[in-house]
Each structure stands twice: as structure tokens, then as C-alpha cells.
Amino acid sequence: MKPQDVIAGKTSLWIFGYGSLVWKPDFKYKRSQVGYIQGYKRRFWHGDNFHRGNDELPGRVVTLIEDDDASTWGVAFEVTGSEVEESLKYLNVRETVCGGYVTKMVDFFPEGEEQQPPVQALVYIATTENALYLGPASSEAIGVQIAVCRGKTGHNLEYLLRLAEFMRSSCPHVEDHHLFSIEAAALSVASYLIAAQ
């Protein structure tokens, strides 16, 4: 699905972020809401050779993997009017051209609004067909990779720590074992590297 198809005739659009968008959307939006989507789990299975790594040492960033029993917490941003097209142009470069992500529409459930119906939100997902897709690995292996990589936007470790901090501060009731076990492994490697200098 192309983003242009999504906005045909729309004056409002929700965009769901579950990775760097939760702390750095970099586009104008009317409001944001913490919440979740169902049927997907967040995994550090996607390579990044631009923002958080390079061709020799690709970093690891998150994508969504289909899982009927899972849910993923993040932030949805509502963009309206002319900002719909502007935000999609920006995200097309950030997520699709540089990141290799595709777009889908999903049901987003805002936190604390259980009685309300979900809203449709656009989400960017890197699939297994992507050349940068790295697939599963142990928390330790992913942690080592994240601890040593950096790209044009900064250290891969910063990306991991900011995502973990978002989950602790905005979704303290959610236990994201995958995220927190990788955080522990990466911090262990980072402290070892600092001590070895």
C-alpha cells in the first residue's frame, strides 16, 4: 500500500510509532496518544545501515512481526489538513527510502479508552523481503551488535535506551521482555568496553 492511497480524500490521519517515532516524530501533528496495536510483536530484527549503523556494521532497529497473541505499545500521532501530505513525504524518506519499511493500516487502541472503538492508524513495518532484514538472534548477540554500532543519527545504543525509557515512563504496566533483555545485554557490553579503555 502506498501512502498516497491512504490519504486520498482524508483530512486527518493517525500514524502509529513503535520505535524512534515515540520520542522523535519530527513532523507536525495535532495531538498524540499512547496506546497499542494487536496482532504484532516488536522485535530488533531489522538492520539499519544509515541512521544507527553503516554498511560494514549495520545497527539493529525494531520492526513488527505478526503474532496473533501479541500487542505492541507505542504512540499514535494525529496529523490534519496539509500536514497529512507533508508528514507522509517526510516519513516516506525516513522510513521507506532510508529504512526499507512498507505501510499498513492497523487498529490503534488508545490507552484508557477501552469503551471507545479503535482508530485506524498507518504503521511502517520492515518485512522479511527487505534486504536489510536480519531476523532473530539471541538477546546477547543483538545487545553486542547494538553496543558497537553507530550511524548518521547517532549510536545504536541511544536508540535502544530511548525506547526502553519510553516504555518505562509511558507504559510502566507493560513488561517488554525482548526489549529489556536486549537493553541489559547491551549495557553490560557497553560498560565492559568503557572499562577496557
Side-chain angles (χ1 to χ4, degrees):
M1 174 178 34
K2 292 187 168 59
Q4 306 87 275
D5 302 334
V6 174
I7 62 169
K10 283 198 177 176
T11 56
S12 171
L13 174 69
W14 286 89
I15 298 168
F16 179 69
Y18 58 91
S20 59
L21 287 182
V22 301
W23 73 83
K24 190 176 173 28
D26 279 349
F27 56 83
K28 290 180 182 164
Y29 56 91
K30 183 179 175 183
R31 60 186 169 135
S32 64
Q33 178 88 41
V34 171
Y36 63 92
I37 62 171
Q38 294 177 325
Y40 291 94
K41 58 189 178 187
R42 174 174 35 222
R43 290 294 181 262
F44 277 87
W45 291 0
H46 188 53
D48 184 337
N49 62 359
F50 184 81
H51 296 292
R52 301 292 177 170
N54 55 47
D55 290 333
E56 290 75 44
L57 276 176
R60 273 193 182 252
V61 293
V62 291
T63 186
L64 294 176
I65 305 299
E66 288 187 30
D67 181 339
D68 290 343
D69 300 326
S71 59
T72 297
W73 284 78
V75 180
F77 303 91
E78 185 185 20
V79 290
T80 56
S82 62
E83 289 163 8
V84 172
E85 195 170 347
E86 287 171 30
S87 62
L88 288 177
K89 275 184 191 167
Y90 166 72
L91 288 169
N92 187 50
V93 173
R94 173 171 162 173
E95 305 292 339
T96 310
V97 177
C98 296
Y101 288 72
V102 298
T103 54
K104 285 188 177 180
M105 293 302 288
V106 294
D107 285 336
F108 170 72
F109 298 85
E111 182 176 29
E113 296 182 18
E114 281 73 23
Q115 280 70 45
Q116 300 295 321
V119 296
Q120 282 277 291
L122 180 72
V123 67
Y124 289 81
I125 300 173
T127 66
T128 54
E129 284 81 55
N130 191 313
L132 289 168
Y133 185 82
L134 299 176
S138 68
S139 296
E140 292 72 26
I142 293 173
V144 168
Q145 190 172 353
I146 287 174
V148 300
C149 288
R150 69 172 300 156
K152 290 179 172 50
T153 308
H155 288 279
N156 202 176
L157 184 60
E158 179 204 15
Y159 174 101
L160 168 65
L161 296 179
R162 283 181 178 262
L163 185 53
E165 170 56 28
F166 161 77
M167 286 300 294
R168 285 196 181 93
S169 62
S170 299
C171 315
H173 55 290
V174 180
E175 176 54 46
D176 191 327
H177 178 72
H178 177 79
L179 172 63
F180 295 141
S181 62
I182 290 169
E183 178 194 31
L187 286 174
S188 175
V189 171
S191 62
Y192 173 80
L193 293 173
I194 290 167
Q197 288 182 351

